[in-house]
Amino acid sequence: MSGKVVLITGASSGIGKAAAVRFLKQGYTVYGAARTEADLKYFNDYPNGHYILMDITEAEMRKNCVNQILKNEARLDILVNNAGYGAYGAVEEVPLQDVKKQFEVNLFGLSELTKLVIPGMREKGSGRIINISSIAGKIWTPLGGWYHASKFALESLSDCLRNELREFGIDVIIIEPGAIETNWAETAGDNLLESSGEGIYQKQAERKANKYKQMYGEGGMAASPEVVAEAIFKAVETDKPKARYAVPAHAKLILFFRWLLPDSLYDFFTNKFF
């Protein structure tokens, strides 16, 4: 048994569930948080597993979640900020309330939850904060402006936080997944067509939605969430974690070409792809 306590948000499915199972099997005490109890019942299969209902945008639920863990365990060693979703559509057409919701989930709720765990980590002089970003925080695609903006913001916030907390023995690590087999793509595709599936951006929206089906469907480039879970586990287990882990291989390749190509060429190839 590791003796360490982990909190994973968005643990009901996809990357969050895969990460939770990875840590549970290695003997960590794992708390999974999500909004739907039925999707968290798998924690009951593990003696070291626990779940807490939490909407990350609700202040009282965030506070209750952390307080419950500290009351039960007297410590919280690792926070995996995984909860998130994609609000896709043309910048012109996505309603402001949807933009705000995107940032409330992907950035503000995440940062407020992080603030709650920092004091305990600082007091004991160690801790790991793992922020699940995306290669979307380094690249851009048509009709993804607000999602990309939220992930670009998370990248810079994480970089600043990493350097602010370094002297207290707390590591802040960014995980940058590429295409992963989760319900994220379906949600993003639905949001895209709802926001921009009619009107002036209709052709772009339909092309991108179809491309998502190819990427995330059978025979597509999407990798299993266990690949990301392994990267998260590696970032926790290693003595000296890197600032960033891009997974799987295609994510590293895309980021390499983004670094290599000037904006005009990157724009050309991205628009060709989509």
Side-chain angles (χ1 to χ4, degrees):
M1 301 290 284
S2 77
K4 291 186 177 180
V5 180
V6 187
L7 168 60
I8 301 174
T9 66
S12 57
S13 63
I15 293 170
K17 182 175 181 178
V21 171
R22 184 71 173 88
F23 282 104
L24 286 165
K25 288 182 176 179
Q26 292 298 316
Y28 284 76
T29 298
V30 183
Y31 284 79
R35 294 178 300 171
T36 308
E37 184 173 11
D39 295 330
L40 293 169
K41 289 291 183 69
Y42 70 92
F43 277 93
N44 293 333
D45 297 333
Y46 300 89
N48 50 328
H50 313 271
Y51 65 82
I52 300 173
L53 294 183
M54 182 183 70
D55 181 336
I56 199 168
T57 67
E58 296 291 334
E60 203 60 33
M61 296 185 83
R62 292 191 300 261
K63 184 178 178 180
N64 290 340
C65 176
V66 174
N67 285 346
Q68 183 177 333
I69 295 171
L70 294 177
K71 180 181 178 181
N72 293 348
E73 312 295 340
R75 63 187 297 167
L76 178 52
D77 302 286
I78 301 145
L79 169 63
V80 180
N81 281 312
N82 170 69
Y85 82 105
Y88 270 67
V91 170
E92 180 183 2
E93 293 183 328
V94 177
L96 182 59
Q97 64 265 26
D98 292 347
V99 173
K100 289 180 177 179
K101 182 182 177 183
Q102 177 80 108
F103 276 80
E104 286 290 345
V105 175
N106 289 8
L107 190 70
F108 303 138
L110 177 154
S111 62
E112 289 299 301
L113 180 65
T114 301
K115 289 179 187 179
L116 294 173
V117 309
I118 288 173
M121 292 181 175
R122 182 169 53 234
E123 185 177 345
K124 89 183 160 60
S126 66
R128 296 270 164 101
I129 297 168
I130 316 288
N131 290 335
I132 309 303
S133 180
S134 168
I135 59 170
K138 291 288 190 63
I139 66 170
W140 53 89
T141 61
L143 306 181
W146 294 117
Y147 176 70
H148 287 284
S150 72
K151 291 301 186 180
F152 268 73
L154 178 57
E155 293 272 334
S156 58
L157 182 78
S158 301
D159 286 332
C160 294
L161 193 62
R162 182 177 66 254
N163 288 282
E164 291 170 5
L165 298 181
R166 187 190 306 273
E167 67 176 289
F168 304 115
I170 304 171
D171 296 306
V172 179
I173 301 143
I174 303 169
I175 307 293
E176 297 171 328
I180 305 296
E181 295 169 351
T182 68
N183 58 9
W184 179 92
E186 183 178 349
T187 301
D190 289 346
N191 288 337
L192 171 60
L193 293 176
E194 183 177 344
S195 297
S196 298
E198 299 178 3
I200 195 167
Y201 297 99
Q202 180 178 0
K203 289 183 179 179
Q204 288 189 48
E206 289 176 348
R207 285 198 301 266
K208 189 166 188 179
N210 287 332
K211 179 60 72 171
Y212 272 153
K213 290 180 181 178
Q214 295 172 23
M215 289 169 60
Y216 291 89
E218 187 175 346
M221 65 190 291
S224 73
E226 283 74 22
V227 172
V228 187
E230 189 59 36
I232 296 168
F233 187 75
K234 179 181 178 181
V236 167
E237 286 278 291
T238 186
D239 290 335
K240 294 183 179 179
K242 297 188 293 185
R244 285 172 170 79
Y245 294 82
V247 288
H250 73 250
K252 298 175 184 177
L253 188 62
I254 290 169
L255 292 178
F256 170 74
F257 280 113
R258 174 63 204 106
W259 169 82
L260 181 68
L261 297 175
D263 290 349
S264 58
L265 273 178
Y266 177 80
D267 286 350
F268 173 79
F269 286 117
T270 298
N271 283 296
K272 274 286 187 182
F273 181 78
F274 283 106

